[in-house]
């Protein structure tokens, strides 16, 4: 068996892979070199592009380190490929939910306004809302949404959620609805957190109509994918005070163009698609890969195996 790790990982992590399948050939390669070494690969771990997919004619399984599959699924040869495909859904839930919660708390307590005032040496107050007793509405109840719900409940917030895949509702979540109740969630929430995958069904899911349903005092937090939110409608809603503010880690175009009005808005917090960043990420992803590699060799079901029709893992395979 030949396993290609792309891009390369540390020597210690590479050795961990070798110990999982003794006797396997384990090769590391950068993205630009990988097409030259994946021709006889059985397994690819990490990331891929069109050149790698075209060259990997014998690959039987690809494990990505990305949770979102929107761009990866559209690479020629992936959707119709005969190889198995799994993603990193749920692996980055802790850090993404923490980042989303930091944005939420900052918006409620006006920290973004205080920081601007600090830079201008101004002793001024800021609009402040209580987290206690407020309602958090979560759009997408996978690993990230579930972790965010736990954080929100820890602050005695009321928690509502919608998800296309119905699963058991935790006790600390008041309601877990299907997508047909999205409008009810938007109208009831003081913060709307976007945690769903980006698919054709969720493109511009949060649009002008959604903002009209939201409270004027409500915030939007998005750490999922930019195109889930209609950015033009979001700018209009923020400028007209249709909603109170937004915490954004993802955008329709990245990097966010310097011409975007979002940069100058005092009711917006911008971070640079960094919610999933963590010093523990390489170890977590390799640990997960090694467990899936053991399953692959043993002929057992893979965790997070992607349903190519859905564009993400079906509920029974999804890591929470």
């Amino acid at each position: 068996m030949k396993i290609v790790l792309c891009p390369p990982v540390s020597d210690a992590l590479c050795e961990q892979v070798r110990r999982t399948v003794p006797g396997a050939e384990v090769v590391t390669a950068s993205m630009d070199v990988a097409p030259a070494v994946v021709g006889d690969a059985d397994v690819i771990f990490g990331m891929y592009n069109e050149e790698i997919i075209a060259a990997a004619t014998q690959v039987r399984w690809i494990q990505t380190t990305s949770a979102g599959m929107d761009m990866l699924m559209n690479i020629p040869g992936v959707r119709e490929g005969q190889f198995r495909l799994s993603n990193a859904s749920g692996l980055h839930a802790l850090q993404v939910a923490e980042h989303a919660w930091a944005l939420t708390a900052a918006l409620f307590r006006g920290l973004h306004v205080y920081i601007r005032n600090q830079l201008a040496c101004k002793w001024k107050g800021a609009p402040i809302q209580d987290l206690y007793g407020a309602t958090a509405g979560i759009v997408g109840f996978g690993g990230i949404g579930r972790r965010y719900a736990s954080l929100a409940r820890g602050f005695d917030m009321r928690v509502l959620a919608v998800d296309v895949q119905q699963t058991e509702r935790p006790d600390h979540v008041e309601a877990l609805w299907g997508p047909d109740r999205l409008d009810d969630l938007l109208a009831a929430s003081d913060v709307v957190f976007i945690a769903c995958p980006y698919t054709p069904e969720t493109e511009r899911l949060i649009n002008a109509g959604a903002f009209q349903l939201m409270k004027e005092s409500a915030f939007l937090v998005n750490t999922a994918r930019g195109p889930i939110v209609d950015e033009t409608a979001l700018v209009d809603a923020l400028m007209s005070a249709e909603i109170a503010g937004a915490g954004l880690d993802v955008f329709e175009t990245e990097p966010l163009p310097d011409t975007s009005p979002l940069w100058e808005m005092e009711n917006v917090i911008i971070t640079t698609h960094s919610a999933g960043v963590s010093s523990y990420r390489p170890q977590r992803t390799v640990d997960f890969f090694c467990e899936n590699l053991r399953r692959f060799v043993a002929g057992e079901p893979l965790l997070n195996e992607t349903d190519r029709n859905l564009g993400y893992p079906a509920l029974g395979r999804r890591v929470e």
Side-chain angles (χ1 to χ4, degrees):
M1 176 182 291
K2 181 175 179 179
I3 303 169
V4 177
L5 311 179
C6 172
V9 298
S10 69
D11 290 344
L13 294 178
C14 191
E15 185 57 33
Q16 182 179 341
V17 175
R18 290 193 176 96
R19 289 196 305 269
T20 303
V21 186
E25 180 186 2
V26 180
V27 178
T28 62
S30 60
M31 293 284 286
D32 58 334
V33 171
V37 300
V38 298
D40 57 347
D42 299 285
V43 176
I44 297 173
F45 165 72
M47 296 300 291
Y48 56 81
N49 54 26
E50 185 173 349
E51 292 72 26
I52 292 172
I53 293 298
T57 56
Q58 298 182 40
V59 69
R60 294 186 288 147
W61 168 45
I62 297 178
Q63 169 71 62
T64 79
T65 51
S66 175
M69 297 296 290
D70 43 289
M71 295 178 64
L72 297 176
M73 289 297 295
N74 291 329
I75 292 174
V78 173
R79 196 173 293 274
E80 66 274 21
Q82 297 302 305
F83 55 87
R84 301 172 73 180
L85 181 64
S86 51
N87 74 351
S89 179
L91 267 67
H92 316 313
L94 290 173
Q95 54 263 43
V96 175
E98 286 178 359
H99 193 99
W101 185 252
L103 292 172
T104 301
L107 288 165
F108 269 76
R109 301 305 300 173
L111 297 188
H112 53 305
V113 178
Y114 282 115
I115 289 171
R116 288 177 182 268
N117 290 343
Q118 177 183 347
L119 293 175
C121 302
K122 292 182 179 179
W123 184 275
K124 289 181 62 177
I128 290 177
Q129 298 184 42
D130 288 346
L131 290 159
Y132 177 86
T135 298
I138 304 171
V139 181
F141 206 60
I144 295 168
R146 287 175 176 273
R147 179 63 180 171
Y148 183 91
S150 296
L151 294 169
R153 192 66 192 99
F155 282 75
D156 292 311
M157 295 184 77
R158 175 191 182 213
V159 181
L160 307 174
V162 295
D163 195 287
V164 69
Q165 299 191 79
Q166 287 300 290
T167 184
E168 186 175 351
R169 177 183 59 83
D171 290 341
H172 57 274
V173 174
E174 180 177 309
L176 175 54
W177 296 319
D180 59 310
R181 297 290 300 274
L182 175 62
D183 287 359
D184 295 326
L185 179 143
L186 294 171
S189 299
D190 297 295
V191 56
V192 174
F193 172 47
I194 308 302
C196 60
Y198 172 46
T199 67
E201 291 72 30
T202 62
E203 183 170 5
R204 298 194 174 182
L205 179 68
I206 307 302
N207 50 31
F211 293 122
Q212 290 171 6
L213 290 171
M214 290 173 62
K215 301 176 183 179
E216 292 182 359
S217 58
F219 301 109
L220 177 77
V221 173
N222 188 10
T223 59
R225 287 292 187 271
I228 297 172
V229 176
D230 183 332
E231 205 162 280
T232 299
L234 171 61
V235 169
D236 290 344
L238 290 164
M239 293 183 69
S240 65
E242 199 165 34
I243 64 171
L248 307 171
D249 186 56
V250 289
F251 305 89
E252 288 186 346
T253 300
E254 296 180 0
L256 182 66
D258 57 11
T259 55
S260 172
L262 291 169
W263 286 113
E264 301 299 325
M265 291 186 172
E266 294 190 2
N267 56 349
V268 174
I269 302 175
I270 290 172
T271 57
T272 55
H273 204 142
S274 54
V277 173
S278 168
S279 59
Y280 300 108
R281 182 169 179 150
Q283 184 67 64
R284 285 174 178 155
T285 53
V286 170
D287 286 346
F288 181 78
F289 171 60
C290 287
E291 170 57 23
N292 250 358
L293 182 58
R294 182 197 66 76
R295 289 168 174 260
F296 180 74
V297 172
E300 299 174 5
L302 296 177
L303 302 173
N304 280 351
E305 184 157 9
T306 300
D307 183 320
R308 282 172 162 83
N309 292 320
L310 295 174
Y312 51 85
L315 186 59
R317 295 290 182 88
R318 189 174 72 186
V319 171
E320 302 294 350

